[in-house]
Amino acid sequence: MPKGTTPNSARSMRPADLERAGVWLAGHGLADVRPTPLLAMRLAARRGTRLAAHVLLAAFIIVAALIHVTHRPDDAAADGSWPYRHWSLLALTAAAAGLVLAQSLLDRWVRRVDRRAGATLPRRAAHPVRLGWRTVLGGPRAAFAVATFAGATALAIAALTMRDSTARYAALVLLIALCGVAVGMVVQLRHILTHPVVADDEVSLTADLIMRVEDAREVAAPTVVWCLPIASVFDTALGWWNAAWLVFVVLGAGTLALITARTAPSGTVARHATSGR
């Protein structure tokens, strides 16, 4: 495709997508910027990908819950003599691998849309500063995501030391699910940080970074980690484990709300970065 031409997908962009792009620009302090078909195309791809990612995560939680409920030990095995059904844990491991693969394919689709959009630009702009994780995600959110996974893993490992076979099986299900979600998060963040910039001036450069910041914040939100205990933990006989998880989720939600309130909006972060400040 020659430089400076518009791809068919951009030329056939629906007016509703252009209108959404205008609303998106206004919501990020760029109300005086006219939305372009290329920006509308990129935003539409991200909306579709985000919806598909949410469906994938919800399906994974349901699979983990079904595996736990179907194959957990019965009450007669509460003394710890029940043999674990290894194949069910292997099935959950396969589901976790499938989750990571599906998320990678979604990222590849977004990259393909961006590549088509970038091929139409007469020139390419670059960010004045290196887009590391501190710029895109921010230290507090990164530390919170790591602490959330570490805390959830510690609680799951604590249950493995108990004699209650129901709790141990629930802990194994939870650990496998946590590993799958963590790997998927790392893969998605790597894509956000490394995929090429699609911009030809300061305005489109700012919009490009806003999209990265929003994508990174969405991926790093530990919502799935808070949902996973519902699939395995809360039917165990360990009252202390249930109480610990409830405290963990409540404290985590409060911390995330505080971080969100004290963190600059994505538009402000992008404007500071593109100006080199």
Side-chain angles (χ1 to χ4, degrees), residues 84 148-162 164-179 225 228-229 232-233 236 238 240-242 244-245 248:
Y84 290 129
T148 300
F149 277 97
T153 302
L155 286 173
I157 292 175
L160 291 177
T161 64
M162 309 302 295
D164 190 321
S165 59
T166 301
R168 292 204 305 273
Y169 183 71
L172 286 173
V173 169
L174 185 59
L175 281 173
I176 294 172
L178 283 172
C179 288
V225 178
L228 284 174
S232 59
V233 171
T236 65
L238 298 179
W240 68 267
W241 203 27
N242 293 332
W245 271 105
F248 176 74

Side-chain angles (χ1 to χ4, degrees), residues 78 83 107 116 118 150 168 216 260:
D107 290 342
R116 289 202 303 266
R168 292 204 305 273
T260 302

Side-chain angles (χ1 to χ4, degrees), residues 67-270:
I67 289 176
H68 172 253
V69 171
T70 305
H71 303 292
R72 65 184 175 184
D74 55 26
D75 295 337
D79 61 354
S81 61
W82 180 82
Y84 290 129
R85 297 184 180 181
H86 298 288
W87 72 267
S88 64
L89 297 178
L90 289 176
L92 180 59
T93 303
L99 172 68
V100 175
L101 176 60
Q103 289 173 328
S104 299
L105 292 176
L106 289 176
D107 290 342
R108 183 177 299 180
W109 179 55
V110 172
R111 188 186 294 267
R112 186 180 302 117
V113 172
D114 284 353
R115 187 164 54 245
R116 289 202 303 266
T120 67
L121 298 176
R123 60 192 180 92
R124 299 292 286 266
H127 289 286
V129 295
R130 183 178 180 273
L131 294 180
W133 61 271
R134 289 183 180 275
T135 302
V136 176
L137 182 58
R141 289 178 184 272
F144 177 66
V146 172
T148 300
F149 277 97
T153 302
L155 286 173
I157 292 175
L160 291 177
T161 64
M162 309 302 295
R163 287 184 54 82
D164 190 321
S165 59
T166 301
R168 292 204 305 273
Y169 183 71
L172 286 173
V173 169
L174 185 59
L175 281 173
I176 294 172
L178 283 172
C179 288
V181 174
V183 172
M185 180 183 293
V186 171
V187 170
Q188 288 180 293
L189 287 176
R190 180 181 178 276
H191 161 76
I192 293 169
L193 290 171
T194 59
H195 79 265
V197 175
V198 181
D200 60 352
D201 56 20
E202 184 175 350
V203 173
S204 57
L205 201 62
T206 301
D208 182 272
L209 184 50
I210 291 174
M211 283 186 273
R212 290 177 194 262
V213 173
E214 289 186 336
D215 290 344
R217 291 179 177 182
E218 175 77 15
V219 169
T223 310
V224 178
V225 178
W226 297 335
C227 293
L228 284 174
I230 300 175
S232 59
V233 171
F234 292 131
D235 70 337
T236 65
L238 298 179
W240 68 267
W241 203 27
N242 293 332
W245 271 105
L246 286 173
V247 172
F248 176 74
V249 172
V250 171
L251 288 179
T255 302
L256 181 59
L258 181 62
I259 291 174
T260 302
R262 296 177 63 89
T263 301
S266 55
T268 302
V269 173

